[in-house]
Amino acid sequence: MISTTEEMTNFTFKIDKKTREGYSALCEALGLSMSAATLALIRQAVRSQSMTFSLKDSNGLTIAEGAELKRRIQDIEKGKVFQCNIIED
């Protein structure tokens, strides 16, 4: 049997310590090294041409929702608030 290997390259990035420790613990619980898990995520993204993770903040808001909430808070702080009565049928 003839074995062929793909040419490999290194991929390096910086990550904060807390996130790295959390990712390491998750990978260990799944029985994977961080390298194997990250490579699997990258290969899946390339294969599917998509990324299926959520881009929400710690409050569960999207970037647009967070910006809208921030705008509304600023309006309240500046006194630009209208009272609306919600009428339910």
Side-chain angles (χ1 to χ4, degrees), residues 8 11 16 27 39 42 60 73:
M8 301 296 277
F11 178 68
D16 65 90
C27 291
L39 184 56
I42 292 169
I73 290 169

Side-chain angles (χ1 to χ4, degrees), residues 41 46-47 56 60 78 84:
L41 290 169
V46 170
R47 186 173 46 252
K56 294 186 177 186
K78 293 176 184 175
C84 296

Side-chain angles (χ1 to χ4, degrees), residues 24-83:
S24 178
L26 171 63
C27 291
E28 186 176 319
L30 294 171
L32 297 167
S33 67
M34 290 194 320
S35 180
T38 304
L39 184 56
L41 290 169
I42 292 169
R43 285 182 173 160
Q44 178 182 341
V46 170
R47 186 173 46 252
S48 67
Q49 289 295 291
S50 66
M51 294 188 183
T52 57
F53 54 86
S54 175
L55 293 175
K56 294 186 177 186
D57 65 14
S58 60
N59 295 312
L61 301 173
T62 65
I63 293 171
E65 291 167 336
E68 176 64 15
L69 181 58
K70 185 176 181 179
R71 185 193 64 75
R72 289 181 184 200
I73 290 169
Q74 289 171 342
D75 283 352
I76 291 169
E77 291 172 345
K78 293 176 184 175
K80 298 180 181 179
V81 182
F82 301 93
Q83 180 176 356

